[in-house]
Amino acid sequence: MTYNNIDFETYFKNYPDANGYFGKYGGSFVSPELQTAMEEINDAYRTICKSRKFISELRRIRKEFQGRPTPISHLERLSNKLGGAQLYVKREDLNHTGAHKLNHCMGEALLAKYMGKKKVIAETGAGQHGVALATAAAYCGLECDIYMGAVDIKKQAPNVARMKILGANVIEVTEGLQTLKEAVDAAFAAYCHEYKDAIYCIGSVLGPHPFPMMVREFQKVVGIEAREQFLEMTGELPDAVVACVGGGSNAMGMFSGFLNDPVEIYGIEPLGRGPALGDHAASLKYGEEGIMHGFNSIMLKDENGDPAPVYSVASGLDYPSSGPEHAFLHDCGRVKYDVITDEETIDAFFELARMEGIIPAIESAHAVAYGMKLAKEMGRGSVLINLSGRGDKDMDYIIEHYGIR
Ligand SMILES: *Cc1c(COP(=O)(O)O)cnc(C)c1O
């Protein structure tokens, strides 16, 4: 399928290019020292991850350890209540550890092991990436250093406990505001010293090349499975596919399966409390082109041109930019990006729990809310939503802020 002069039949061969560009977005904007490390990872990715041995081992792990393929569920009661298109969800909440993140963490950790590294390094904000990486590191027999701001360590006690139980070192970062930004800086600094023995593992389709490409390739399993399963279940392709976009990894995984099909694709960003800067994290809708964290994309900037403060009820979505591939798919129009507020999200969260017996992650509830709106608007046909994770991690927050509805 060709769309705005881009051939989606050969898309994955051409995007990103050899330097990690999706059109004008992507690339690698890091110190010469880190660039050496990025090139080592890129070379290793191109040889090791394409080898038959790596592919078959990862395939076995996905099946025997992660519990893949995850199923697709038809939301019959909810669809009937809405009276429009039929809703389906891809159940990444049933992937081991309860979200899609393990799909790329397992790929990254296995690559580290094949490269002969002893350790994986990362930062984490809410702790979800840290837990997924600590899980993969334990499975692969690697050390795991997770950098985390002191403020986040206090807020996210259960995830800190999980990481420690899994054998990871949680390293407290006490610089600046003591949150994610400082943790990123500390993790990169550590990596500069340790790159001979360690690899850095990013948490989404973000960062310098080759990470946006690598993480997409490891997440593709979601879209490939979903396309096959949906065809088998219904005999047709879905009319629309929906996923939430923070950095954009669960969305790129799902979208990859359908880019070359006559399927409408929607990426959903968090509108939080509203459109004023600081009240949301809808970078593709309200942002502009800019470089941060080592890559060029569309980002939310403050008056000095620095990354703006962002907010969302979903801690996994509050990032001031999105992966460069999303910026590219946004500009070419193949994927439509839209927004959902906190309030619509919480309504969808309870609706899915009550009507279907599935408690979604608050991140995923953004996609569910949009899917519900879309189903009503469409009136007929089918909508496939990526349910990126389960809501167990959000119970305390929901009870405290919203009570039982
Ligand atoms: C981290 C997370 C997200 C957001 O990350 P993406 O890279 O945008 O997918 C979405 N859903 C869940 C459940 C998460 O844990």
Side-chain angles (χ1 to χ4, degrees):
M1 181 171 93
T2 300
Y3 193 92
N4 267 342
N5 295 325
I6 293 154
D7 182 3
F8 281 95
E9 197 157 344
T10 56
Y11 175 79
F12 293 112
K13 283 205 186 77
N14 300 324
Y15 297 94
D17 71 10
N19 296 314
Y21 280 92
F22 304 87
K24 62 180 173 174
Y25 301 113
S28 178
F29 298 83
V30 295
S31 66
E33 218 176 353
L34 267 181
Q35 189 54 34
T36 310
M38 291 304 126
E39 275 158 29
E40 188 198 352
I41 295 179
N42 192 33
D43 290 345
Y45 175 78
R46 289 193 176 279
T47 50
I48 294 169
C49 296
K50 304 291 176 200
S51 72
R52 194 178 291 175
K53 185 157 178 271
F54 183 94
I55 291 168
S56 67
E57 183 163 7
L58 189 58
R59 192 172 290 160
R60 183 184 62 74
I61 293 170
R62 297 233 193 270
K63 180 167 175 228
E64 296 174 6
F65 179 71
Q66 291 182 225
R68 304 203 69 90
T70 57
I72 285 179
S73 304
H74 182 192
L75 306 180
E76 252 183 281
R77 283 191 359 103
L78 185 56
S79 305
N80 290 343
K81 182 177 172 187
L82 295 169
Q86 295 298 307
L87 290 167
Y88 296 81
V89 283
K90 173 68 170 163
R91 302 290 306 275
E92 289 306 290
D93 60 318
L94 298 178
N95 194 36
H96 180 44
T97 71
H100 70 286
K101 283 194 176 73
L102 190 61
N103 297 334
H104 61 254
C105 285
M106 191 55 87
E108 290 174 320
L110 194 64
L111 175 61
K113 186 176 163 186
Y114 273 61
M115 287 170 79
K117 304 288 184 186
K118 294 189 187 67
K119 187 193 275 187
V120 287
I121 296 176
E123 74 287 333
T124 196
Q128 296 302 110
H129 176 49
V131 170
L133 190 61
T135 302
Y139 182 87
C140 292
L142 298 165
E143 289 173 46
C144 179
D145 284 357
I146 302 292
Y147 290 80
M148 195 167 181
V151 169
D152 289 333
I153 287 183
K154 279 208 195 72
K155 270 202 218 157
Q156 308 291 342
N159 276 341
V160 174
R162 281 185 192 107
M163 286 184 267
K164 288 183 175 169
I165 287 170
L166 289 161
N169 306 309
V170 180
I171 299 160
E172 184 172 22
V173 179
T174 53
E175 275 84 30
L177 295 175
Q178 312 188 347
T179 62
L180 182 63
K181 184 190 171 298
E182 291 78 22
V184 174
D185 294 341
F188 262 92
Y191 181 51
C192 275
H193 291 295
E194 299 186 67
Y195 76 84
K196 291 207 164 57
D197 293 321
I199 75 168
Y200 177 73
C201 294
I202 210 146
S204 188
V205 283
L206 301 169
H209 181 62
F211 285 110
M213 169 186 75
M214 245 169 66
V215 171
R216 175 193 74 193
E217 293 298 309
F218 289 139
Q219 285 294 346
K220 251 187 192 171
V221 65
V222 174
I224 293 169
E225 283 177 11
R227 189 179 188 280
E228 262 181 39
Q229 291 168 317
F230 198 91
L231 276 171
E232 195 183 297
M233 275 174 92
T234 69
E236 292 167 2
L237 288 169
D239 295 296
V241 165
V242 182
C244 66
V245 178
S249 64
N250 88 85
M252 269 327 304
M254 184 57 129
F255 297 172
S256 291
F258 299 94
L259 284 173
N260 192 38
D261 290 318
V263 171
E264 298 283 346
I265 303 179
Y266 297 91
I268 307 308
E269 298 190 296
L271 188 58
R273 294 182 286 248
L277 193 65
D279 280 348
H280 64 83
S283 49
L284 294 164
K285 183 164 176 86
Y286 296 109
E288 51 190 310
E289 188 177 348
I291 295 170
M292 65 178 270
H293 298 158
F295 64 103
N296 186 39
S297 187
I298 298 177
M299 62 188 260
L300 292 165
K301 298 178 185 174
D302 64 14
E303 63 277 12
N304 302 319
D306 294 324
V310 285
Y311 160 81
S312 164
V313 64
S315 56
L317 301 182
D318 64 353
Y319 184 69
S321 183
S322 291
E325 190 163 15
H326 286 290
F328 175 71
L329 293 169
H330 170 271
D331 286 8
C332 83
R334 176 65 188 94
V335 177
K336 296 184 177 63
Y337 293 87
D338 209 337
V339 293
I340 281 289
T341 64
D342 281 3
E343 212 179 296
E344 293 170 308
T345 299
I346 300 300
D347 288 345
F349 173 93
F350 281 104
E351 199 65 4
L352 188 67
R354 296 285 158 81
M355 296 300 295
E356 298 289 346
I358 300 170
I359 303 177
I362 303 181
E363 290 81 2
S364 324
H366 284 75
V368 175
Y370 196 82
M372 286 165 58
K373 264 194 188 172
L374 192 62
K376 273 200 258 184
E377 252 171 56
M378 285 165 58
R380 53 194 296 264
S382 59
V383 179
L384 174 62
I385 301 163
N386 197 17
L387 200 78
S388 53
R390 68 180 179 219
D392 301 47
K393 67 182 178 59
D394 300 315
M395 291 299 94
D396 292 346
Y397 183 88
I398 291 280
I399 296 290
E400 193 184 325
H401 291 84
Y402 299 94
I404 302 290
R405 289 202 175 164

